[in-house]
Structure formats: structure tokens, C-alpha cells
Amino acid sequence: MSKPVLRGLVIAAFFALTAFALVPTFVPRPAFIPGFAPPPDMWPRTVSLIGIALGLLALCLALTRPAAEEEPIETDGSSPWRMGLRFAGLVGVFGLFLALIPYLGFLLSTMALTLVVVLMTGERDHKLWIFLLSFVGPGLLLLFFTYSLGTQFPKGALTKPFGF
């Protein structure tokens, strides 16, 4: 199986897992939704369905295009073993994110996830951008989705007394 075919399958599978397993589990759907308001799971489901479509598009393009000679990619000299270890670390961080949501809530878990993922890329020079992306970005997104679109996010057991 070629890399582009595998890439399309992995993208489609990831977003399918998100759309059909994670969104129904972690996004509560209230008993009554007014006719003019979208349900809370509309945006996560929409993004997941778009991700599935893009993964399937990548898969179709990989299957219909003739196999081209891949150019060697310049890397930072990391061995495949080290890159696999970094990937395993990212999967572990996402698993930790899912485990922390019931305790810390969506906002603090997302802040921690964003900070760790940015730091795992090796970026350390732009401290202001790292701070804004990790702490201000999730806060602004939460405010936008909560107050503009009426989307509810999980509150953690430890952070409920503080309102987030």
C-alpha cells in the first residue's frame, strides 16, 4: 500500500472515529432545542464530516493518479525510530487530553493540549505567539462557540466551581 493511499485512509478513519464515536459521547444533546438554534453537536459533526470527505478525496486521488517517483524529503536528520517515538508521544498526548476532559473540562484540557503539541514541534523562539495560541486561542474559541452559537462544552469536575 502506497503512502498516499494510507494517508487518505488514516485521515478518513480519524474523522469517522471523531464523528461517530467521540462527538456523540462528549457533546451532550439537550432534550429540547428551539427551532432557530442549531444543536450543540452541529459544528463538531460538520467539521468531522468535512474531514471524512477530504480523507476520501485524498484516497480517490491517490488511487486514480499514476504512481509517481517520490522525491526524497529533507528532514532534520531524525531517525525513523525517533519520528515514530514522537508520533507515539502525540497519540499519548491526545489520549491524555481525552482522559483530562472529565476532570479539567474542555477549556483547560485544550490549553494544555495546544501548549504540549506546539512545544513538541520544537518551536521555542516565539514565546508570545506560543502563549497566544495556547491560552488565548482556546479561550476565544470557547467564548465564540458558547455565546455566539450556543454550543456547550464539557465542564470538568475540578473546574465546575469556577464556572469553566
Side-chain angles (χ1 to χ4, degrees):
M1 182 179 302
S2 68
K3 284 184 184 180
V5 171
L6 182 63
R7 184 180 306 132
L9 284 174
V10 168
I11 291 170
F14 171 77
F15 282 107
L17 172 73
T18 303
F20 302 117
L22 297 179
V23 170
T25 303
F26 289 106
V27 181
R29 196 174 177 104
F32 173 72
I33 300 172
F36 59 85
D41 64 347
M42 183 184 103
W43 289 110
R45 192 173 302 276
T46 300
V47 170
S48 299
L49 292 176
I50 290 171
I52 292 171
L54 290 174
L56 293 176
L57 177 66
L59 176 65
C60 289
L61 290 175
L63 291 174
T64 58
R65 288 186 178 170
E69 193 70 32
E70 289 190 23
E71 297 178 18
I73 300 172
E74 272 190 48
T75 64
D76 60 353
S78 297
S79 67
W81 184 84
R82 188 172 174 187
M83 290 182 350
L85 187 63
R86 184 179 289 179
F87 177 73
L90 282 172
V91 171
V93 166
F94 277 106
L96 184 63
F97 167 72
L98 292 175
L100 286 177
I101 285 179
Y103 302 106
L104 296 180
F106 180 80
L107 181 63
L108 293 180
S109 299
T110 303
M111 287 177 178
L113 172 73
T114 307
L115 178 65
V116 170
V117 169
V118 168
L119 293 177
M120 285 182 79
T121 64
E123 183 59 50
R124 306 279 194 286
D125 295 334
H126 306 287
K127 291 181 180 20
L128 176 65
W129 283 108
I130 293 172
F131 174 80
L132 291 174
L133 182 67
S134 300
F135 296 105
V136 177
L140 290 175
L141 282 173
L142 183 79
L143 286 173
F144 174 73
F145 278 96
T146 301
Y147 293 110
S148 298
L149 302 174
T151 304
Q152 297 176 3
F153 289 93
K155 294 185 186 321
L158 300 175
T159 57
K160 266 186 189 170
F162 304 109
F164 60 90

